[in-house]
Amino acid sequence: MTITNENETPKKNLNFIEQMVENDLKEGLNGGRIQTRFPPEPNGHLHIGHVKAICIDFGIAEKYNGICNLRFDDTNPVKEDVEYVDSIKSDIQWLGFHWENLYYASDYFQQLYDLAIFFIKEGKAYVDEQSAETIAQQKGTPTTPGTESPFRNRPISESLDLFERMNKGDFADGSMVLRAKIDMAHSNMHFRDPIIYRIITTHPHHRTGTKWKVYPMYDFAHGQSDYFEGVTHSLCTLEFEVHRPLYDWFIDQFVEEGAYRPKQREFNRLNITYTVMSKRKLLQLVEEGLVNGWDDPRMPTVCGLRRRGYTATSIRNFIDSIGYTKVEGMIDVSLLEHAIREDLKPKADRVCAIFDPIKLIITNYPENATEILITENNPENEKSGTREMPFGRELYIERSDFMEDAPKNFFRLTPNGREVRLKSAYIVQCTGFKKDADGNVTEVYCTYDPTTKSGTEGGNKKVKSTINWVNIHSCIDAEVRLYDRLFSVEDPLASEKDFHELINPESLKILQGCKVEASLKDAKPLSNFQFLKIGYFTVDEESTKDHLIFNRTVSLKDTWAKKTE
Ligand code: ATP
Ligand code: MG
């Protein structure tokens, strides 16, 4: 255990990225300048994996007095859209981060095009008229060299002319590409004459319209964009480690040795159990209607988690707890669920909600009388205050809190004379019940003891159980959406079964006609509550005064731990 003095926060061990940065600062790299960037491609909404990248990109800049920019790597107009640009920006802000500058890779289209021309003139790039499939077939394997294109040694002037005409719109999409001329036998497959430019005329670019007919490939744009911006530490996930030498090679062709260049370092991706973390798969879930949009509360997207009731703090605490390493792995979703419970424990007011209501009539309570009782908002937070609960003769309680023939260890309502406390109210004893023709219990009767009111001396009387209630006349109807894990297996992508069969059929259950206490009438969308004894819930974004909707964020305890044991 680390012992710290009271005024000091315990010093966490530095992760390997922080260690590297501190080392670079010590050695005076780039004159001690720190600049990072978060480089999303605007082809989908952010997911919690991206948050891991966001936290380190912005976190490093913040911690070491540097700056972090937001740069959209918008090099593929076929898949990109302004809708995504806007949502990415607002998600980053919601998470509590601020970028210094907003950039787009498309800001560099001219610079990148000029570089491509330079590469051609230097004999380091050529126009290949083969199809993408043929080029792929000629790549070879890691152990066998690739085959050189018949166009590889065409005259520089020919490539120059063709490339310029590619950009004028003289040729059809897919009819030719520009390739870097490196080495078809290179041990790193990415060096085998990678495609660096392609023709796209089918989709206008969301920023540059139809100005360009050729677009740089991600690999040709990403590293150079970092360079143009002066990024000192280019942080990304491990799958880019094998691309790093290529990014360096591109820069080596036009920058002197020893001069400034970005330093790319890679960390492990975030993968979480019972979900998938790839925009492609998430898009599939949305497009096939397997979920209700990108912000479906079962999605691992930032907008989905927010709608589910996750707070920015809980997500950032979760990311902080898992850390950054060089080893790929899978994080148990229960850690994320733990983070939101911990965050909401002192923050969320605790209220009564009845999901399967049954009438409770207190036969010795005066008819038409109402009494205002006071209850604590949150016993774990002294500052949370109290609120009023109107009490009366007719209440709703949870059907499962009553049993006609109860076993000995059932401590709630049953006609055996046992005393039960109504939350923040009185002690009652069940005296009988009524059934309908089908044998379903429709009403439960009880008497109350007026000397046992909570908050008075008689309120200290101990009984075995306390049950929740709402007043029949003041409670409000609500729809409750019980969300659970989206998939029924830990790693859906590793399963042999079809993706569709793995969706948890119980991932969404909708309950209508739930009764919640009157204090929730004005609850704002996205505010969090604990429904006593049930779990944490949040008001849905589409909830209105006339149609209250609550989403289950998480149950009070991890119910899956048992299931999977
Ligand atoms: P996906 O693989 O989910 O489709 P992506 O990598 O294509 O996402 P980008 O928009 O290119 O998405 O990613 C922006 C940044 O976020 C990159 O630096 C990338 O390394 C990082 N990132 C993406 N997914 C994860 C993840 N699961 N964990 C950590 N960082 C991630
Ligand atoms: Mg990717």
Side-chain angles (χ1 to χ4, degrees):
M1 202 172 82
T2 4
I3 300 173
T4 50
N5 104 25
E6 266 177 51
N7 302 321
E8 225 177 89
T9 41
K11 195 163 191 274
K12 270 184 73 174
N13 286 338
L14 297 180
N15 64 42
F16 81 96
I17 299 170
E18 292 164 331
Q19 277 172 18
M20 166 189 72
V21 169
E22 294 203 356
N23 228 18
D24 290 344
L25 284 172
K26 219 184 295 159
E27 287 172 5
L29 183 73
N30 300 311
R33 199 170 58 81
I34 298 292
Q35 183 174 327
T36 58
R37 83 288 170 267
F38 174 61
E41 198 186 340
N43 60 353
H45 293 264
L46 294 182
H47 54 59
I48 189 168
H50 293 115
V51 182
K52 179 170 178 176
I54 290 172
C55 287
I56 193 78
D57 291 329
F58 286 92
I60 288 286
E62 216 163 85
K63 184 164 179 177
Y64 298 104
N65 292 320
I67 60 168
C68 179
N69 299 317
L70 171 60
R71 181 181 71 239
F72 287 101
D73 269 338
D74 55 350
T75 53
N76 184 0
V78 177
K79 293 198 176 144
E80 295 159 5
D81 200 285
V82 273
E83 171 202 336
Y84 298 132
V85 170
D86 296 339
S87 91
I88 289 170
K89 288 200 275 190
S90 73
D91 282 350
I92 295 172
Q93 285 166 330
W94 178 75
L95 286 164
F97 294 105
H98 307 279
W99 53 87
E100 188 82 12
N101 301 292
L102 175 61
Y103 295 134
Y104 294 84
S106 53
D107 293 337
Y108 316 125
F109 279 171
Q110 186 65 52
Q111 270 162 288
L112 290 165
Y113 181 83
D114 294 344
L115 258 183
I117 299 277
F118 168 81
F119 273 65
I120 298 172
K121 287 185 176 162
E122 292 282 302
K124 289 172 182 161
Y126 61 96
V127 170
D128 193 336
E129 293 174 49
Q130 301 181 105
S131 69
E133 295 78 61
T134 310
I135 293 173
Q137 281 161 13
Q138 293 169 347
K139 270 256 142 135
T141 69
T143 47
T144 54
T147 310
E148 294 191 352
S149 162
F151 298 97
R152 193 173 201 266
N153 295 315
R154 74 189 329 164
I156 287 174
S157 57
E158 214 174 280
S159 281
L160 210 48
D161 173 62
L162 287 172
F163 186 58
E164 281 166 355
R165 287 171 55 205
M166 276 164 69
N167 194 40
K168 284 197 186 113
D170 287 358
F171 307 113
D173 294 33
S175 60
M176 52 186 79
V177 292
L178 184 69
R179 295 177 73 179
K181 189 171 176 179
I182 312 180
D183 180 358
M184 286 305 290
H186 203 287
S187 58
N188 182 333
M189 302 280 287
H190 296 288
F191 278 77
R192 296 189 183 174
D193 290 11
I195 298 175
I196 58 176
Y197 260 92
R198 67 235 153 129
I199 305 172
I200 298 176
T201 57
T202 48
H203 295 70
H205 189 275
H206 68 107
R207 296 186 71 239
T208 58
T210 53
K211 178 173 178 205
W212 299 94
K213 309 284 185 281
V214 290
Y215 290 91
M217 298 297 288
Y218 186 86
D219 275 356
F220 192 68
H222 182 76
Q224 270 97 298
S225 300
D226 281 345
Y227 174 80
F228 297 148
E229 284 170 7
V231 168
T232 59
H233 295 85
S234 172
L235 308 172
C236 59
T237 36
L238 282 170
E239 72 269 25
F240 293 105
E241 194 165 14
V242 283
H243 296 248
R244 191 210 299 170
L246 179 64
Y247 298 169
D248 287 340
W249 185 88
F250 285 138
I251 290 173
D252 287 342
Q253 307 316 304
F254 63 96
V255 172
E256 282 165 43
E257 218 186 300
Y260 149 79
R261 71 197 57 219
K263 180 167 177 176
Q264 176 177 304
R265 286 299 179 270
E266 308 82 12
F267 56 87
N268 58 335
R269 285 177 78 82
L270 172 60
N271 297 301
I272 299 184
T273 54
Y274 300 99
T275 190
V276 289
M277 202 79 77
S278 124
K279 278 187 277 197
R280 202 167 50 79
K281 284 286 167 197
L282 297 176
L283 183 65
Q284 189 188 347
L285 288 168
V286 173
E287 285 185 338
E288 293 185 16
L290 300 169
V291 295
N292 303 313
W294 282 95
D295 67 345
D296 184 301
R298 290 166 292 183
M299 293 279 272
T301 48
V302 174
C303 49
L305 288 165
R306 178 168 57 229
R307 191 162 182 184
R308 177 85 173 248
Y310 275 82
T311 57
T313 306
S314 68
I315 296 174
R316 289 177 61 168
N317 287 347
F318 163 74
I319 297 291
D320 200 42
S321 73
I322 59 172
Y324 296 82
T325 72
K326 279 268 182 194
V327 191
E328 293 290 17
M330 181 77 99
I331 300 289
D332 194 321
V333 69
S334 61
L335 272 177
L336 177 62
E337 294 168 348
H338 175 74
I340 186 63
R341 285 192 196 100
E342 284 298 299
D343 188 40
L344 293 183
K345 206 191 282 172
K347 287 183 185 165
D349 283 355
R350 300 180 183 189
V351 297
C352 285
I354 306 293
F355 285 1
D356 185 8
I358 184 171
K359 226 175 184 180
L360 178 72
I361 300 172
I362 307 169
T363 52
N364 63 338
Y365 195 88
E367 274 183 57
N368 303 323
T370 332
E371 181 180 358
I372 300 298
L373 302 178
I374 301 297
T375 189
E376 294 172 291
N377 284 330
N378 188 336
E380 308 234 6
N381 178 352
E382 300 169 350
K383 293 192 196 125
S384 66
T386 59
R387 70 177 183 283
E388 298 181 341
M389 284 178 80
F391 187 75
R393 180 184 163 92
E394 297 186 313
L395 310 175
Y396 283 124
I397 59 166
E398 203 66 70
R399 185 172 290 276
S400 58
D401 282 341
F402 169 77
M403 252 179 123
E404 182 181 346
D405 295 308
K408 267 218 175 86
N409 60 356
F410 183 79
F411 297 114
R412 288 162 285 163
L413 284 176
T414 180
N416 67 355
R418 187 184 298 287
E419 296 188 314
V420 172
R421 177 168 293 282
L422 295 175
K423 167 75 186 160
S424 299
Y426 298 93
I427 289 180
V428 296
Q429 275 177 298
C430 177
T431 54
F433 55 89
K434 185 168 127 187
K435 281 184 178 176
D436 64 13
D438 300 327
N440 299 313
V441 176
T442 52
E443 287 179 357
V444 176
Y445 305 112
C446 70
T447 54
Y448 85 120
D449 178 351
T451 68
T452 58
K453 182 172 172 173
S454 289
T456 66
E457 208 175 304
N460 295 328
K461 184 172 175 186
K462 289 268 173 296
V463 290
K464 282 242 167 162
S465 78
T466 299
I467 65 174
N468 296 324
W469 56 273
V470 295
N471 186 315
I472 275 196
H473 302 291
S474 63
C475 70
I476 9 184
D477 278 348
E479 173 181 326
V480 172
R481 299 176 181 170
L482 298 176
Y483 288 105
D484 203 344
R485 299 174 181 179
L486 182 54
F487 289 95
S488 47
V489 296
E490 286 196 349
D491 188 356
L493 299 184
S495 168
E496 311 226 304
K497 282 202 197 151
D498 180 61
F499 192 64
H500 304 82
E501 285 173 46
L502 301 171
I503 302 253
N504 174 10
E506 312 224 310
S507 61
L508 170 58
K509 269 191 270 178
I510 299 182
L511 307 179
Q512 303 287 356
C514 298
K515 309 286 180 189
V516 299
E517 59 171 81
S519 69
L520 292 171
K521 190 173 63 205
D522 298 313
K524 300 259 173 318
L526 298 186
S527 47
N528 304 94
F529 294 94
Q530 184 190 110
F531 287 175
L532 283 157
K533 294 191 179 171
I534 307 177
Y536 289 101
F537 289 77
T538 193
V539 183
D540 188 69
E541 283 169 343
E542 286 171 4
S543 177
T544 63
K545 261 190 151 88
D546 300 323
H547 186 129
L548 267 183
I549 307 169
F550 288 92
N551 296 330
R552 178 168 67 193
T553 312
V554 69
S555 54
L556 283 185
K557 292 210 179 87
D558 184 358
T559 51
W560 282 68
K562 267 202 224 115
K563 274 194 219 173
T564 48
E565 246 168 32

